[in-house]
Amino acid sequence: MKACFMGLGYIGLPTAIIAAKHGIQIIGVDINPNVVEMTNQGKLHIVEPGMQELLQEVVSDGRLKASTVPEVSDAYFMVVPTPFKGNHEPDISYVESATRAIIPFLKEGDLYVIESTSPVGTTDKMTNLIFNLRPDLRDKIFIAYCPERVLPGNVIYELVHNDRVIGGVNEVSTEKAVEFYSQFVQGTLHRTNCKTAEMCKLTENSSRDVQIAFANELSLICDKAGINVWELINLANKHPRVNILQPGCGVGGHCIAVDPYFITADFPIESQIIAKAREINNYKAFWCAEKVENIMLKFELEHQRKPTIAMMGLAFKPDIDDLREAPAKYITTKVMQSCNNADILVVEPNVKEHKVFKLTDYKEAYEKADIIVFLVAHSVFKSLPYDDKKIILDFCGIYKK
Ligand code: SAJ
């Protein structure tokens, strides 16, 4: 069995590695020659615990090879990004170009699977594209959609143990895809059709976005009412049927802050809560930045000097080094722009250096600053002593009990 993975990013590469580890011959394709070169040298270009050793193993025994172009295989997987355009319309051009790239290699009996998060109807669109260019393959290949669900940082475990939803364009396609994934997935493989599978992925991430928006909305209400939101949520969650998530400085990353737009773009009238949740979570980051700016002005008025501020954390969530779509990065940038000359110390303990921000050690920043702004609940921040002489803005619950 030979499988071709189109896209060697945060999901494509780990999936290709795990599949190779389970005895499948893999050709991993990426348009970035650096990624291809590094992968062929057994060097992981992403950060994921335990993955480096696995990559080295499957590359050195020849089970995984990377290339900038596809090769004839038995199964093809589209694992490329689906960002959104300026107007929040989904951009499926990477899925389309990856599909176009493998069309010449397709032969009777092959399996074609989209894993990329995609708007509803994408699998049908790609099916039409394939059959328009290769009418000889109509009813002779198997086509399915199978989204991933892994949490960065826990990918090796989740790729194998999570349940998966698999939706074919017809039942035989679903079965063929189930047969493929059962080679390395121990979780249950749930069969459905491709539209439901596409919508299921969008639903999972939108559901989390809506729940976080609820927590963020509570945090705004509590700030006005003078109530500790962390204590409030903890108490409300003692109810057997209530389970509120945690507020933060906004929602980041490349999934939850993006995928709901794939629903709102296609169903603008119906998706009221989903759209509002996106607005609330975006607004929370803006609100945090305004809060910092106001505290800085107040400090300056009271002390007749500009404060030193520590912006604690840049990543999109705790204990990772991934800064993509990070609200903490947005807030830090906005604060820096609004008060030039102020002494702003930027902290991100999981990143060594950054192109834009000069990074300061977290202990040093905490000691030097008058105002401490906790943006990300990194574990190391929790060991800092509480200094009541400093002004502390805790947007992520560092000091929650
Ligand atoms: N966040 C909060 N409060 C919370 C939980 C999260 O503010 O209580 C924030 C985080 O700080 C972060 C953002 O939400 O900024 C997203 O973090 P996350 O841990 O909720 O999710 P991701 O983006 O790392 O991964 C999600 C997961 N989806 C769900 O939990 C439904 C993962 O399983 C998916 O595979 C992934 O999206 C994806 O690739 O779609």
Side-chain angles (χ1 to χ4, degrees), residues 339-369:
C339 33
N340 39 17
N341 300 329
D343 198 2
I344 298 177
L345 307 172
V346 182
V347 172
E348 180 39 72
N350 299 307
V351 172
K352 279 206 187 84
E353 51 188 352
H354 192 271
K355 286 196 293 263
V356 177
F357 304 106
K358 181 179 172 289
L359 300 176
T360 302
D361 171 71
Y362 72 99
K363 283 185 187 150
E364 185 188 330
Y366 187 85
E367 231 174 80
K368 277 190 183 160

Short mmCIF file of all heavy atoms in Angstrom, two decimals, residues 339-369:
data_model
loop_
_atom_site.label_atom_id
_atom_site.label_comp_id
_atom_site.label_asym_id
_atom_site.label_seq_id
_atom_site.Cartn_x
_atom_site.Cartn_y
_atom_site.Cartn_z
N CYS A 339 1.24 53.42 22.52
CA CYS A 339 2.03 54.22 23.48
C CYS A 339 3.51 54.08 23.16
O CYS A 339 4.22 53.40 23.89
CB CYS A 339 1.74 53.80 24.89
SG CYS A 339 1.36 52.08 25.04
N ASN A 340 3.91 54.69 22.06
CA ASN A 340 5.33 54.62 21.73
C ASN A 340 6.13 55.30 22.84
O ASN A 340 5.61 56.14 23.57
CB ASN A 340 5.63 55.23 20.35
CG ASN A 340 4.83 56.46 20.09
OD1 ASN A 340 4.30 57.04 21.04
ND2 ASN A 340 4.71 56.88 18.86
N ASN A 341 7.34 54.90 22.97
CA ASN A 341 8.26 55.37 24.03
C ASN A 341 8.08 54.64 25.36
O ASN A 341 9.01 54.58 26.13
CB ASN A 341 8.13 56.87 24.35
CG ASN A 341 8.44 57.70 23.13
OD1 ASN A 341 9.24 57.27 22.31
ND2 ASN A 341 7.79 58.84 23.00
N ALA A 342 6.89 54.09 25.61
CA ALA A 342 6.73 53.41 26.91
C ALA A 342 7.64 52.19 26.92
O ALA A 342 7.96 51.62 25.87
CB ALA A 342 5.29 52.98 27.09
N ASP A 343 8.05 51.80 28.11
CA ASP A 343 8.96 50.67 28.22
C ASP A 343 8.14 49.39 28.30
O ASP A 343 7.58 49.05 29.34
CB ASP A 343 9.81 50.88 29.49
CG ASP A 343 11.04 50.01 29.45
OD1 ASP A 343 11.22 49.30 28.44
OD2 ASP A 343 11.80 50.03 30.43
N ILE A 344 8.05 48.69 27.16
CA ILE A 344 7.23 47.47 27.13
C ILE A 344 8.13 46.24 27.00
O ILE A 344 8.89 46.12 26.03
CB ILE A 344 6.21 47.53 25.97
CG1 ILE A 344 5.27 48.71 26.21
CG2 ILE A 344 5.43 46.22 25.87
CD1 ILE A 344 4.27 48.95 25.14
N LEU A 345 8.06 45.37 27.98
CA LEU A 345 8.86 44.15 27.97
C LEU A 345 7.98 43.02 27.47
O LEU A 345 6.92 42.75 28.04
CB LEU A 345 9.37 43.84 29.37
CG LEU A 345 10.12 44.99 30.07
CD1 LEU A 345 10.41 44.64 31.52
CD2 LEU A 345 11.40 45.32 29.33
N VAL A 346 8.40 42.38 26.39
CA VAL A 346 7.60 41.31 25.80
C VAL A 346 8.18 39.96 26.23
O VAL A 346 9.40 39.73 26.09
CB VAL A 346 7.55 41.43 24.26
CG1 VAL A 346 6.68 40.33 23.66
CG2 VAL A 346 7.04 42.80 23.86
N VAL A 347 7.31 39.09 26.71
CA VAL A 347 7.76 37.81 27.25
C VAL A 347 7.08 36.65 26.51
O VAL A 347 5.86 36.67 26.32
CB VAL A 347 7.38 37.73 28.76
CG1 VAL A 347 7.65 36.34 29.32
CG2 VAL A 347 8.12 38.80 29.56
N GLU A 348 7.85 35.69 26.07
CA GLU A 348 7.27 34.43 25.58
C GLU A 348 8.28 33.33 25.88
O GLU A 348 9.20 33.09 25.10
CB GLU A 348 6.93 34.49 24.09
CG GLU A 348 6.32 33.21 23.52
CD GLU A 348 5.34 32.51 24.43
OE1 GLU A 348 4.23 33.01 24.61
OE2 GLU A 348 5.68 31.44 25.00
N PRO A 349 8.11 32.65 27.02
CA PRO A 349 9.12 31.68 27.46
C PRO A 349 9.31 30.49 26.52
O PRO A 349 10.33 29.81 26.60
CB PRO A 349 8.61 31.22 28.83
CG PRO A 349 7.17 31.62 28.88
CD PRO A 349 7.01 32.79 27.99
N ASN A 350 8.33 30.23 25.64
CA ASN A 350 8.46 29.06 24.74
C ASN A 350 9.11 29.37 23.40
O ASN A 350 9.21 28.49 22.55
CB ASN A 350 7.08 28.43 24.52
CG ASN A 350 6.49 27.97 25.83
OD1 ASN A 350 7.11 27.22 26.57
ND2 ASN A 350 5.31 28.47 26.16
N VAL A 351 9.51 30.64 23.22
CA VAL A 351 10.14 31.02 21.95
C VAL A 351 11.49 31.65 22.27
O VAL A 351 11.59 32.47 23.18
CB VAL A 351 9.24 32.03 21.20
CG1 VAL A 351 9.92 32.61 19.98
CG2 VAL A 351 7.92 31.37 20.79
N LYS A 352 12.54 31.25 21.53
CA LYS A 352 13.89 31.78 21.82
C LYS A 352 14.04 33.21 21.33
O LYS A 352 14.51 34.09 22.04
CB LYS A 352 14.95 30.89 21.15
CG LYS A 352 15.26 29.65 21.96
CD LYS A 352 16.67 29.15 21.67
CE LYS A 352 16.91 27.81 22.34
NZ LYS A 352 16.40 26.68 21.53
N GLU A 353 13.69 33.42 20.05
CA GLU A 353 13.75 34.80 19.53
C GLU A 353 12.64 35.03 18.53
O GLU A 353 12.06 34.09 17.99
CB GLU A 353 15.11 35.11 18.93
CG GLU A 353 15.59 34.12 17.93
CD GLU A 353 17.02 34.38 17.49
OE1 GLU A 353 17.60 35.42 17.84
OE2 GLU A 353 17.56 33.53 16.77
N HIS A 354 12.36 36.33 18.28
CA HIS A 354 11.25 36.67 17.38
C HIS A 354 11.67 37.81 16.48
O HIS A 354 12.42 38.71 16.91
CB HIS A 354 10.02 37.07 18.22
CG HIS A 354 8.78 37.15 17.41
ND1 HIS A 354 8.38 38.31 16.78
CD2 HIS A 354 7.84 36.21 17.12
CE1 HIS A 354 7.25 38.07 16.13
NE2 HIS A 354 6.91 36.82 16.32
N LYS A 355 11.19 37.76 15.23
CA LYS A 355 11.58 38.77 14.23
C LYS A 355 11.16 40.17 14.64
O LYS A 355 11.85 41.15 14.41
CB LYS A 355 10.91 38.46 12.88
CG LYS A 355 11.49 37.28 12.15
CD LYS A 355 11.06 37.28 10.69
CE LYS A 355 9.59 37.03 10.52
NZ LYS A 355 9.05 35.78 10.24
N VAL A 356 9.97 40.30 15.23
CA VAL A 356 9.40 41.61 15.52
C VAL A 356 9.63 42.04 16.97
O VAL A 356 10.00 43.17 17.24
CB VAL A 356 7.87 41.60 15.23
CG1 VAL A 356 7.23 42.93 15.59
CG2 VAL A 356 7.61 41.24 13.77
N PHE A 357 9.43 41.10 17.90
CA PHE A 357 9.50 41.46 19.32
C PHE A 357 10.85 41.09 19.91
O PHE A 357 11.35 39.99 19.69
CB PHE A 357 8.42 40.71 20.11
CG PHE A 357 7.03 40.95 19.61
CD1 PHE A 357 6.35 39.97 18.89
CD2 PHE A 357 6.40 42.16 19.84
CE1 PHE A 357 5.07 40.18 18.42
CE2 PHE A 357 5.10 42.38 19.37
CZ PHE A 357 4.45 41.39 18.67
N LYS A 358 11.41 42.03 20.69
CA LYS A 358 12.62 41.71 21.46
C LYS A 358 12.11 41.03 22.74
O LYS A 358 11.34 41.63 23.49
CB LYS A 358 13.36 43.01 21.79
CG LYS A 358 14.63 42.81 22.56
CD LYS A 358 15.28 44.16 22.81
CE LYS A 358 16.47 44.04 23.75
NZ LYS A 358 16.10 43.76 25.12
N LEU A 359 12.50 39.80 22.95
CA LEU A 359 11.94 39.05 24.08
C LEU A 359 12.78 39.21 25.35
O LEU A 359 14.00 39.29 25.29
CB LEU A 359 11.81 37.57 23.71
CG LEU A 359 10.92 37.27 22.50
CD1 LEU A 359 10.93 35.78 22.16
CD2 LEU A 359 9.48 37.74 22.75
N THR A 360 12.08 39.25 26.48
CA THR A 360 12.73 39.37 27.79
C THR A 360 12.38 38.15 28.62
O THR A 360 11.27 37.62 28.50
CB THR A 360 12.20 40.65 28.50
OG1 THR A 360 12.46 41.76 27.67
CG2 THR A 360 12.87 40.86 29.85
N ASP A 361 13.31 37.72 29.44
CA ASP A 361 13.07 36.58 30.34
C ASP A 361 11.89 36.90 31.27
O ASP A 361 11.75 38.02 31.74
CB ASP A 361 14.34 36.33 31.16
CG ASP A 361 14.10 35.32 32.24
OD1 ASP A 361 13.94 34.14 31.90
OD2 ASP A 361 14.04 35.72 33.44
N TYR A 362 11.07 35.90 31.56
CA TYR A 362 9.83 36.19 32.29
C TYR A 362 10.06 36.68 33.71
O TYR A 362 9.35 37.55 34.22
CB TYR A 362 8.86 35.00 32.24
CG TYR A 362 9.23 33.80 33.07
CD1 TYR A 362 8.66 33.58 34.32
CD2 TYR A 362 10.13 32.84 32.60
CE1 TYR A 362 8.99 32.47 35.08
CE2 TYR A 362 10.46 31.73 33.34
CZ TYR A 362 9.90 31.55 34.59
OH TYR A 362 10.21 30.46 35.34
N LYS A 363 11.10 36.12 34.37
CA LYS A 363 11.36 36.53 35.77
C LYS A 363 11.88 37.97 35.80
O LYS A 363 11.47 38.77 36.65
CB LYS A 363 12.38 35.60 36.40
CG LYS A 363 11.80 34.27 36.80
CD LYS A 363 12.83 33.44 37.54
CE LYS A 363 12.30 32.04 37.77
NZ LYS A 363 13.34 31.04 37.83
N GLU A 364 12.77 38.26 34.85
CA GLU A 364 13.36 39.61 34.77
C GLU A 364 12.26 40.64 34.48
O GLU A 364 12.18 41.69 35.14
CB GLU A 364 14.40 39.60 33.64
CG GLU A 364 15.19 40.89 33.51
CD GLU A 364 16.05 40.87 32.25
OE1 GLU A 364 16.48 39.79 31.80
OE2 GLU A 364 16.25 41.98 31.69
N ALA A 365 11.37 40.30 33.54
CA ALA A 365 10.29 41.23 33.17
C ALA A 365 9.37 41.46 34.37
O ALA A 365 8.96 42.60 34.66
CB ALA A 365 9.50 40.66 32.00
N TYR A 366 9.05 40.39 35.07
CA TYR A 366 8.14 40.51 36.22
C TYR A 366 8.75 41.41 37.29
O TYR A 366 8.07 42.22 37.91
CB TYR A 366 7.86 39.11 36.79
CG TYR A 366 6.81 39.09 37.87
CD1 TYR A 366 5.46 39.03 37.55
CD2 TYR A 366 7.17 39.14 39.22
CE1 TYR A 366 4.49 39.01 38.54
CE2 TYR A 366 6.20 39.13 40.22
CZ TYR A 366 4.86 39.06 39.87
OH TYR A 366 3.90 39.05 40.85
N GLU A 367 10.05 41.25 37.47
CA GLU A 367 10.73 42.03 38.50
C GLU A 367 10.79 43.51 38.13
O GLU A 367 10.55 44.39 38.96
CB GLU A 367 12.15 41.49 38.68
CG GLU A 367 12.47 41.21 40.13
CD GLU A 367 13.81 40.55 40.23
OE1 GLU A 367 14.83 41.28 40.16
OE2 GLU A 367 13.80 39.32 40.34
N LYS A 368 11.10 43.79 36.85
CA LYS A 368 11.32 45.18 36.41
C LYS A 368 10.03 45.98 36.24
O LYS A 368 10.03 47.20 36.40
CB LYS A 368 12.03 45.17 35.05
CG LYS A 368 13.53 45.00 35.15
CD LYS A 368 14.13 45.25 33.77
CE LYS A 368 15.62 45.02 33.76
NZ LYS A 368 16.10 44.79 32.40
N ALA A 369 8.94 45.32 35.88
CA ALA A 369 7.75 46.06 35.43
C ALA A 369 6.91 46.61 36.57
O ALA A 369 6.86 46.03 37.66
CB ALA A 369 6.90 45.14 34.55
#
